[in-house]
Amino acid sequence: MIPYIWRRNTENIVVYGAGKQALWHIRLALALQGNEIKSIIVVNRSEPRAKEMLDKVAQENSARWKSSATMKYLDPSGPEFDQSLETALADADAIFCTVPSYKPLFPAKYILGQGQRTKKPYVSAIGSWQPDMIELDPDLVKSIVDDTENGFHPERDSAGAILVDDRETILTHVGEAVQSQLKLDDMVEVGKIAHLREHDPDQARKEKLNRWLEEGLVVYKSVGVSVTDLAAGEAILALDKERNIGFHLPDF
């Protein structure tokens, strides 16, 4: 969710899954950007489980965040699922993939379009953590790395990068990296990006980075490492300071 905080537009959200990760991604999205979100679409094989989660979120939203977002379930077994999914993803500002999967959840063309798509979403993929598991189409990953026009890489002007929590782990432990034949230099860790976002002495590069983070096609692949917890904690403290909430314990 750290890169999600940096996004400029978060009106339409698609969520894969109905477990705890999906639930907390929706909760945090509503807590952080609830006033901007217009729609949340959940894709999950189990309709009862998905609707149970959406009912729970709706009750919490009514009591806490009071977002006017619509929430609905998209049934993968429905007769027009592929067309409905393509439409939903084409209009998505954020896509949260939180299910353990052994094949890509959607084809790359649903995100890339035919070269005429203007909306570029933020895609977070946290459901696969083994070499034989995969959520994202390798063609999507390759396209981002090879994007010399709209992509961003802090050290290579003629390439894009996949945002990750830990490069070494991603390289050997997830199907996206294995099947896309990613190299270490094709990935940039979120900690480095957070640092550059605030402290990069190259102003032109800093501006390009922020444009990419705010409105570019950003894919974040995470397997869950301690540095992510640390970065999340820092982000929470920054929000507390910005909103003047919480208590500071200097001798704790």
Side-chain angles (χ1 to χ4, degrees):
M1 292 299 289
I2 298 169
Y4 174 78
I5 297 173
W6 301 327
R7 298 300 287 182
R8 179 174 297 171
N9 299 314
T10 63
E11 291 184 351
N12 303 310
I13 297 175
V14 175
V15 181
Y16 275 86
K20 291 293 185 181
Q21 287 287 0
L23 173 62
W24 274 100
H25 273 70
I26 296 173
R27 281 172 168 168
L28 288 170
L30 289 170
L32 293 166
Q33 306 288 358
N35 60 323
E36 297 179 6
I37 299 173
K38 292 183 178 179
S39 74
I40 297 174
I41 296 175
V42 171
V43 183
N44 192 66
R45 287 176 296 181
S46 170
E47 181 175 358
R49 189 177 185 189
K51 290 188 173 180
E52 180 183 0
M53 180 186 71
L54 285 175
D55 287 343
K56 183 179 185 65
V57 170
Q59 293 174 13
E60 294 176 346
N61 178 55
S62 178
R64 298 179 181 178
W65 312 296
K66 305 186 185 306
S67 171
S68 60
T70 62
M71 305 180 197
K72 71 176 185 179
Y73 167 68
L74 188 57
D75 185 359
S77 64
E80 299 180 356
F81 171 70
D82 289 339
Q83 182 178 349
S84 299
L85 177 63
E86 184 173 6
T87 300
L89 292 177
D91 199 38
D93 297 292
I95 303 165
F96 300 134
C97 304
T98 72
V99 295
S101 176
Y102 293 88
K103 63 179 182 179
L105 299 175
F106 49 83
K109 66 180 182 179
Y110 286 10
I111 302 298
L112 301 175
Q114 303 299 323
Q116 299 177 346
R117 172 174 176 152
T118 57
K119 182 176 287 188
K120 299 177 176 63
Y122 165 63
V123 184
S124 174
I126 67 167
S128 61
W129 64 90
Q130 296 292 338
D132 61 338
M133 301 177 74
I134 186 170
E135 296 174 288
L136 303 179
D137 189 337
D139 287 342
L140 175 61
V141 176
K142 293 175 184 177
S143 177
I144 292 172
V145 172
D146 294 336
D147 190 347
T148 59
E149 183 177 352
N150 301 306
F152 175 84
H153 196 293
E155 297 165 356
R156 295 188 294 180
D157 292 334
S158 60
I162 301 297
L163 193 59
V164 301
D165 51 358
D166 182 86
R167 295 193 305 166
E168 295 282 356
T169 305
I170 296 293
L171 191 65
T172 57
H173 282 74
V174 300
E176 280 85 357
V178 174
Q179 295 189 33
S180 304
Q181 298 181 325
L182 282 180
K183 303 178 182 65
L184 207 62
D185 290 342
D186 294 330
M187 299 175 282
V188 180
E189 293 178 356
V190 66
K192 180 171 184 176
I193 291 297
H195 177 79
L196 288 174
R197 185 172 176 269
E198 298 294 333
H199 306 292
D200 192 347
D202 186 333
Q203 190 62 31
R205 183 173 65 177
K206 184 177 179 180
E207 290 177 0
K208 184 178 181 181
L209 165 63
N210 283 323
R211 282 197 303 271
W212 175 63
L213 291 173
E214 291 174 4
E215 57 190 46
L217 175 52
V218 176
V219 165
Y220 175 52
K221 181 62 197 176
S222 170
V223 289
V225 292
S226 58
V227 67
T228 308
D229 297 331
L230 179 60
E234 292 288 346
I236 291 170
L237 288 174
L239 282 172
D240 290 343
K241 183 177 181 180
E242 176 186 327
R243 300 180 182 184
N244 194 29
I245 57 178
F247 299 94
H248 177 62
L249 304 177
D251 299 323
F252 181 73

